[in-house]
mmCIF file with all atom_site columns, all heavy atoms in Angstrom:
data_model
loop_
_atom_site.group_PDB
_atom_site.id
_atom_site.type_symbol
_atom_site.label_atom_id
_atom_site.label_alt_id
_atom_site.label_comp_id
_atom_site.label_asym_id
_atom_site.label_entity_id
_atom_site.label_seq_id
_atom_site.pdbx_PDB_ins_code
_atom_site.Cartn_x
_atom_site.Cartn_y
_atom_site.Cartn_z
_atom_site.occupancy
_atom_site.B_iso_or_equiv
_atom_site.pdbx_formal_charge
_atom_site.auth_seq_id
_atom_site.auth_comp_id
_atom_site.auth_asym_id
_atom_site.auth_atom_id
_atom_site.pdbx_PDB_model_num
ATOM 1   N N   . LEU A 1 33 ? 125.346 92.932  135.929 1.00 96.00 ? 35 LEU A N   1
ATOM 2   C CA  . LEU A 1 33 ? 126.723 93.294  136.302 1.00 96.00 ? 35 LEU A CA  1
ATOM 3   C C   . LEU A 1 33 ? 126.966 94.758  135.951 1.00 96.00 ? 35 LEU A C   1
ATOM 4   O O   . LEU A 1 33 ? 126.781 95.160  134.797 1.00 96.00 ? 35 LEU A O   1
ATOM 5   C CB  . LEU A 1 33 ? 127.701 92.398  135.540 1.00 96.00 ? 35 LEU A CB  1
ATOM 6   C CG  . LEU A 1 33 ? 129.107 92.215  136.128 1.00 96.00 ? 35 LEU A CG  1
ATOM 7   C CD1 . LEU A 1 33 ? 129.046 91.702  137.556 1.00 96.00 ? 35 LEU A CD1 1
ATOM 8   C CD2 . LEU A 1 33 ? 129.901 91.255  135.241 1.00 96.00 ? 35 LEU A CD2 1
ATOM 9   N N   . ASN A 1 34 ? 127.344 95.541  136.932 1.00 96.00 ? 36 ASN A N   1
ATOM 10  C CA  . ASN A 1 34 ? 127.540 96.977  136.731 1.00 96.00 ? 36 ASN A CA  1
ATOM 11  C C   . ASN A 1 34 ? 128.988 97.368  137.026 1.00 96.00 ? 36 ASN A C   1
ATOM 12  O O   . ASN A 1 34 ? 129.403 97.415  138.178 1.00 96.00 ? 36 ASN A O   1
ATOM 13  C CB  . ASN A 1 34 ? 126.591 97.771  137.623 1.00 96.00 ? 36 ASN A CB  1
ATOM 14  C CG  . ASN A 1 34 ? 126.599 99.263  137.265 1.00 96.00 ? 36 ASN A CG  1
ATOM 15  O OD1 . ASN A 1 34 ? 127.482 99.757  136.560 1.00 96.00 ? 36 ASN A OD1 1
ATOM 16  N ND2 . ASN A 1 34 ? 125.599 99.979  137.749 1.00 96.00 ? 36 ASN A ND2 1
ATOM 17  N N   . PHE A 1 35 ? 129.734 97.641  135.946 1.00 97.00 ? 37 PHE A N   1
ATOM 18  C CA  . PHE A 1 35 ? 131.104 98.139  136.082 1.00 97.00 ? 37 PHE A CA  1
ATOM 19  C C   . PHE A 1 35 ? 131.256 99.431  135.292 1.00 97.00 ? 37 PHE A C   1
ATOM 20  O O   . PHE A 1 35 ? 132.233 99.641  134.580 1.00 97.00 ? 37 PHE A O   1
ATOM 21  C CB  . PHE A 1 35 ? 132.109 97.079  135.598 1.00 97.00 ? 37 PHE A CB  1
ATOM 22  C CG  . PHE A 1 35 ? 132.429 96.052  136.641 1.00 97.00 ? 37 PHE A CG  1
ATOM 23  C CD1 . PHE A 1 35 ? 131.642 94.930  136.791 1.00 97.00 ? 37 PHE A CD1 1
ATOM 24  C CD2 . PHE A 1 35 ? 133.492 96.235  137.525 1.00 97.00 ? 37 PHE A CD2 1
ATOM 25  C CE1 . PHE A 1 35 ? 131.915 93.998  137.774 1.00 97.00 ? 37 PHE A CE1 1
ATOM 26  C CE2 . PHE A 1 35 ? 133.772 95.299  138.515 1.00 97.00 ? 37 PHE A CE2 1
ATOM 27  C CZ  . PHE A 1 35 ? 132.982 94.176  138.643 1.00 97.00 ? 37 PHE A CZ  1
ATOM 28  N N   . SER A 1 36 ? 130.290 100.311 135.422 1.00 97.00 ? 38 SER A N   1
ATOM 29  C CA  . SER A 1 36 ? 130.352 101.614 134.765 1.00 97.00 ? 38 SER A CA  1
ATOM 30  C C   . SER A 1 36 ? 131.296 102.537 135.538 1.00 97.00 ? 38 SER A C   1
ATOM 31  O O   . SER A 1 36 ? 131.433 102.442 136.754 1.00 97.00 ? 38 SER A O   1
ATOM 32  C CB  . SER A 1 36 ? 128.959 102.233 134.704 1.00 97.00 ? 38 SER A CB  1
ATOM 33  O OG  . SER A 1 36 ? 128.417 102.368 136.000 1.00 97.00 ? 38 SER A OG  1
ATOM 34  N N   . ASN A 1 37 ? 131.954 103.404 134.764 1.00 97.00 ? 39 ASN A N   1
ATOM 35  C CA  . ASN A 1 37 ? 132.841 104.429 135.342 1.00 97.00 ? 39 ASN A CA  1
ATOM 36  C C   . ASN A 1 37 ? 133.896 103.831 136.285 1.00 97.00 ? 39 ASN A C   1
ATOM 37  O O   . ASN A 1 37 ? 134.090 104.299 137.404 1.00 97.00 ? 39 ASN A O   1
ATOM 38  C CB  . ASN A 1 37 ? 132.000 105.473 136.090 1.00 97.00 ? 39 ASN A CB  1
ATOM 39  C CG  . ASN A 1 37 ? 132.762 106.756 136.352 1.00 97.00 ? 39 ASN A CG  1
ATOM 40  O OD1 . ASN A 1 37 ? 133.764 107.043 135.692 1.00 97.00 ? 39 ASN A OD1 1
ATOM 41  N ND2 . ASN A 1 37 ? 132.310 107.521 137.334 1.00 97.00 ? 39 ASN A ND2 1
ATOM 42  N N   . ARG A 1 38 ? 134.576 102.808 135.795 1.00 96.00 ? 40 ARG A N   1
ATOM 43  C CA  . ARG A 1 38 ? 135.618 102.147 136.609 1.00 96.00 ? 40 ARG A CA  1
ATOM 44  C C   . ARG A 1 38 ? 136.979 102.153 135.896 1.00 96.00 ? 40 ARG A C   1
ATOM 45  O O   . ARG A 1 38 ? 137.870 101.392 136.260 1.00 96.00 ? 40 ARG A O   1
ATOM 46  C CB  . ARG A 1 38 ? 135.195 100.702 136.901 1.00 96.00 ? 40 ARG A CB  1
ATOM 47  C CG  . ARG A 1 38 ? 133.880 100.559 137.671 1.00 96.00 ? 40 ARG A CG  1
ATOM 48  C CD  . ARG A 1 38 ? 134.042 100.876 139.140 1.00 96.00 ? 40 ARG A CD  1
ATOM 49  N NE  . ARG A 1 38 ? 134.776 99.822  139.801 1.00 96.00 ? 40 ARG A NE  1
ATOM 50  C CZ  . ARG A 1 38 ? 134.220 98.725  140.333 1.00 96.00 ? 40 ARG A CZ  1
ATOM 51  N NH1 . ARG A 1 38 ? 132.894 98.556  140.274 1.00 96.00 ? 40 ARG A NH1 1
ATOM 52  N NH2 . ARG A 1 38 ? 134.966 97.816  140.927 1.00 96.00 ? 40 ARG A NH2 1
ATOM 53  N N   . ASN A 1 39 ? 137.126 102.992 134.885 1.00 96.00 ? 41 ASN A N   1
ATOM 54  C CA  . ASN A 1 39 ? 138.386 103.101 134.134 1.00 96.00 ? 41 ASN A CA  1
ATOM 55  C C   . ASN A 1 39 ? 138.811 101.791 133.465 1.00 96.00 ? 41 ASN A C   1
ATOM 56  O O   . ASN A 1 39 ? 140.005 101.532 133.266 1.00 96.00 ? 41 ASN A O   1
ATOM 57  C CB  . ASN A 1 39 ? 139.526 103.597 135.039 1.00 96.00 ? 41 ASN A CB  1
ATOM 58  C CG  . ASN A 1 39 ? 139.310 105.020 135.506 1.00 96.00 ? 41 ASN A CG  1
ATOM 59  O OD1 . ASN A 1 39 ? 138.918 105.892 134.722 1.00 96.00 ? 41 ASN A OD1 1
ATOM 60  N ND2 . ASN A 1 39 ? 139.533 105.257 136.794 1.00 96.00 ? 41 ASN A ND2 1
ATOM 61  N N   . ILE A 1 40 ? 137.859 100.976 133.108 1.00 97.00 ? 42 ILE A N   1
ATOM 62  C CA  . ILE A 1 40 ? 138.158 99.686  132.481 1.00 97.00 ? 42 ILE A CA  1
ATOM 63  C C   . ILE A 1 40 ? 138.596 99.903  131.029 1.00 97.00 ? 42 ILE A C   1
ATOM 64  O O   . ILE A 1 40 ? 137.974 100.655 130.278 1.00 97.00 ? 42 ILE A O   1
ATOM 65  C CB  . ILE A 1 40 ? 136.925 98.762  132.542 1.00 97.00 ? 42 ILE A CB  1
ATOM 66  C CG1 . ILE A 1 40 ? 136.663 98.378  133.999 1.00 97.00 ? 42 ILE A CG1 1
ATOM 67  C CG2 . ILE A 1 40 ? 137.118 97.529  131.682 1.00 97.00 ? 42 ILE A CG2 1
ATOM 68  C CD1 . ILE A 1 40 ? 135.370 97.656  134.218 1.00 97.00 ? 42 ILE A CD1 1
ATOM 69  N N   . TYR A 1 56 ? 126.472 96.583  132.361 1.00 98.00 ? 58 TYR A N   1
ATOM 70  C CA  . TYR A 1 56 ? 126.721 98.029  132.326 1.00 98.00 ? 58 TYR A CA  1
ATOM 71  C C   . TYR A 1 56 ? 128.233 98.275  132.268 1.00 98.00 ? 58 TYR A C   1
ATOM 72  O O   . TYR A 1 56 ? 128.958 98.006  133.226 1.00 98.00 ? 58 TYR A O   1
ATOM 73  C CB  . TYR A 1 56 ? 126.162 98.701  133.578 1.00 98.00 ? 58 TYR A CB  1
ATOM 74  C CG  . TYR A 1 56 ? 124.671 98.580  133.752 1.00 98.00 ? 58 TYR A CG  1
ATOM 75  C CD1 . TYR A 1 56 ? 124.127 97.571  134.548 1.00 98.00 ? 58 TYR A CD1 1
ATOM 76  C CD2 . TYR A 1 56 ? 123.800 99.485  133.143 1.00 98.00 ? 58 TYR A CD2 1
ATOM 77  C CE1 . TYR A 1 56 ? 122.755 97.468  134.735 1.00 98.00 ? 58 TYR A CE1 1
ATOM 78  C CE2 . TYR A 1 56 ? 122.429 99.383  133.324 1.00 98.00 ? 58 TYR A CE2 1
ATOM 79  C CZ  . TYR A 1 56 ? 121.915 98.372  134.114 1.00 98.00 ? 58 TYR A CZ  1
ATOM 80  O OH  . TYR A 1 56 ? 120.552 98.266  134.294 1.00 98.00 ? 58 TYR A OH  1
ATOM 81  N N   . LEU A 1 57 ? 128.699 98.806  131.141 1.00 98.00 ? 59 LEU A N   1
ATOM 82  C CA  . LEU A 1 57 ? 130.125 99.129  130.990 1.00 98.00 ? 59 LEU A CA  1
ATOM 83  C C   . LEU A 1 57 ? 130.313 100.544 130.429 1.00 98.00 ? 59 LEU A C   1
ATOM 84  O O   . LEU A 1 57 ? 131.323 100.834 129.787 1.00 98.00 ? 59 LEU A O   1
ATOM 85  C CB  . LEU A 1 57 ? 130.796 98.110  130.059 1.00 98.00 ? 59 LEU A CB  1
ATOM 86  C CG  . LEU A 1 57 ? 130.953 96.687  130.605 1.00 98.00 ? 59 LEU A CG  1
ATOM 87  C CD1 . LEU A 1 57 ? 131.502 95.761  129.529 1.00 98.00 ? 59 LEU A CD1 1
ATOM 88  C CD2 . LEU A 1 57 ? 131.856 96.667  131.831 1.00 98.00 ? 59 LEU A CD2 1
ATOM 89  N N   . TYR A 1 58 ? 129.361 101.417 130.656 1.00 98.00 ? 60 TYR A N   1
ATOM 90  C CA  . TYR A 1 58 ? 129.469 102.778 130.130 1.00 98.00 ? 60 TYR A CA  1
ATOM 91  C C   . TYR A 1 58 ? 130.450 103.613 130.946 1.00 98.00 ? 60 TYR A C   1
ATOM 92  O O   . TYR A 1 58 ? 130.812 103.272 132.079 1.00 98.00 ? 60 TYR A O   1
ATOM 93  C CB  . TYR A 1 58 ? 128.101 103.455 130.067 1.00 98.00 ? 60 TYR A CB  1
ATOM 94  C CG  . TYR A 1 58 ? 127.356 103.560 131.382 1.00 98.00 ? 60 TYR A CG  1
ATOM 95  C CD1 . TYR A 1 58 ? 127.583 104.615 132.259 1.00 98.00 ? 60 TYR A CD1 1
ATOM 96  C CD2 . TYR A 1 58 ? 126.412 102.598 131.738 1.00 98.00 ? 60 TYR A CD2 1
ATOM 97  C CE1 . TYR A 1 58 ? 126.896 104.723 133.461 1.00 98.00 ? 60 TYR A CE1 1
ATOM 98  C CE2 . TYR A 1 58 ? 125.721 102.693 132.930 1.00 98.00 ? 60 TYR A CE2 1
ATOM 99  C CZ  . TYR A 1 58 ? 125.968 103.759 133.794 1.00 98.00 ? 60 TYR A CZ  1
ATOM 100 O OH  . TYR A 1 58 ? 125.277 103.843 134.990 1.00 98.00 ? 60 TYR A OH  1
ATOM 101 N N   . ASP A 1 59 ? 130.916 104.698 130.353 1.00 98.00 ? 61 ASP A N   1
ATOM 102 C CA  . ASP A 1 59 ? 131.864 105.635 130.987 1.00 98.00 ? 61 ASP A CA  1
ATOM 103 C C   . ASP A 1 59 ? 133.157 104.941 131.404 1.00 98.00 ? 61 ASP A C   1
ATOM 104 O O   . ASP A 1 59 ? 133.625 105.069 132.546 1.00 98.00 ? 61 ASP A O   1
ATOM 105 C CB  . ASP A 1 59 ? 131.217 106.319 132.204 1.00 98.00 ? 61 ASP A CB  1
ATOM 106 C CG  . ASP A 1 59 ? 130.055 107.203 131.820 1.00 98.00 ? 61 ASP A CG  1
ATOM 107 O OD1 . ASP A 1 59 ? 129.983 107.629 130.656 1.00 98.00 ? 61 ASP A OD1 1
ATOM 108 O OD2 . ASP A 1 59 ? 129.191 107.457 132.676 1.00 98.00 ? 61 ASP A OD2 1
ATOM 109 N N   . ASN A 1 60 ? 133.748 104.201 130.479 1.00 98.00 ? 62 ASN A N   1
ATOM 110 C CA  . ASN A 1 60 ? 135.051 103.579 130.705 1.00 98.00 ? 62 ASN A CA  1
ATOM 111 C C   . ASN A 1 60 ? 135.995 103.955 129.563 1.00 98.00 ? 62 ASN A C   1
ATOM 112 O O   . ASN A 1 60 ? 135.742 104.931 128.837 1.00 98.00 ? 62 ASN A O   1
ATOM 113 C CB  . ASN A 1 60 ? 134.894 102.059 130.817 1.00 98.00 ? 62 ASN A CB  1
ATOM 114 C CG  . ASN A 1 60 ? 134.372 101.631 132.184 1.00 98.00 ? 62 ASN A CG  1
ATOM 115 O OD1 . ASN A 1 60 ? 135.006 101.861 133.217 1.00 98.00 ? 62 ASN A OD1 1
ATOM 116 N ND2 . ASN A 1 60 ? 133.184 101.016 132.198 1.00 98.00 ? 62 ASN A ND2 1
#
Side-chain angles (χ1 to χ4, degrees):
L35 203 56
N36 190 345
F37 277 87
S38 58
N39 197 20
R40 300 284 288 272
N41 294 316
I42 292 171
Y58 298 96
L59 290 174
Y60 58 85
D61 295 338
N62 282 298

